[in-house]
Amino acid sequence: YVVPLAVFEEQIRWLKENGYECLTVSEMFQRFAQGGITGKTAVITFDDGYPDVYTYAFPVLSAYGFPATSYLVASKIDSPKNLPADMIRDLHDAGWEIGSHSMTHSDLMYHDDLDAEICGSRNLISSMTGIPLTDVVSFAYPYGNADETVTAKVWKCGYQSGAGLGKIPVSLSQNP
């Protein structure tokens, strides 16, 4: 969950030196839809929306020309320990994908209001940052937990992919 900056930079340099291409989550799914991924490819994601992503990871990834996907807890935008809207826009403008990690980071399998947590978070991210709603299309399940009800709500709310921790059977071609 935590990588020292020097180790992170070493990992990113290794990817670049070894011919890897980095994609956002949505770019990865576009490639799958177009027939698959060829060559050396990596996807880098960050959860929660902490400022260290902007302060440390963003400059390293920018130096190597790599984008990433940052999943935000929508209700935490502009709060003292999370990314402010202007930094989120900077990431987006630099080619990063901005996704949702729910409204409050609740375990969605035990939450009564999935509309607020899933649909509401997408709308709030867009309205607070100015990022078009059509660009907020990836969702990361808090704690990696999801069931069929949660994943169905993610699709209904307009997301194109949902990321977990491998607790759900996944077929990228059938269930992004």
Side-chain angles (χ1 to χ4, degrees):
Y1 289 99
V2 177
V3 177
L5 181 58
V7 173
F8 179 70
E9 185 163 9
E10 181 180 312
Q11 293 169 338
I12 300 305
R13 181 174 45 254
W14 185 91
L15 289 172
K16 188 68 167 185
E17 289 173 353
N18 285 277
Y20 279 79
E21 172 186 27
C22 281
L23 304 174
T24 66
V25 169
S26 288
E27 290 170 337
M28 175 187 66
F29 283 110
Q30 288 171 0
R31 295 271 182 93
F32 275 111
Q34 296 167 353
I37 292 179
T38 58
K40 297 176 177 181
T41 306
V43 175
I44 299 169
T45 66
F46 299 93
D47 285 0
D48 302 325
Y50 296 126
D52 58 350
V53 169
Y54 188 88
T55 306
Y56 300 110
F58 181 44
V60 170
L61 291 167
S62 294
Y64 290 94
F66 289 160
T69 299
S70 183
Y71 292 110
L72 307 176
V73 178
S75 67
K76 304 281 186 178
I77 295 171
D78 285 334
S79 68
K81 293 183 180 181
N82 289 81
L83 284 167
D86 62 333
M87 289 182 182
I88 296 166
R89 277 190 304 275
D90 287 349
L91 294 172
H92 179 264
D93 292 348
W96 282 43
E97 180 173 10
I98 304 301
S100 175
H101 199 31
S102 80
M103 184 65 80
T104 65
H105 203 280
S106 297
D107 189 331
L108 300 177
M109 290 177 50
Y110 306 100
H111 202 283
D112 293 332
D113 192 354
L114 293 180
D115 279 328
E117 285 292 321
I118 300 171
C119 301
S121 65
R122 182 174 183 235
N123 293 328
L124 186 60
I125 289 168
S126 177
S127 67
M128 288 189 74
T129 64
I131 295 170
L133 192 61
T134 55
D135 286 359
V136 184
V137 295
S138 295
F139 191 88
Y141 304 110
Y143 309 104
N145 291 337
D147 58 16
E148 288 182 13
T149 301
V150 173
T151 59
K153 180 59 74 173
V154 166
W155 303 125
K156 184 178 179 190
C157 292
Y159 296 97
Q160 297 172 4
S161 66
L165 293 174
K167 298 176 184 177
I168 306 165
V170 174
S171 166
L172 293 179
S173 63
Q174 297 173 344
N175 183 8

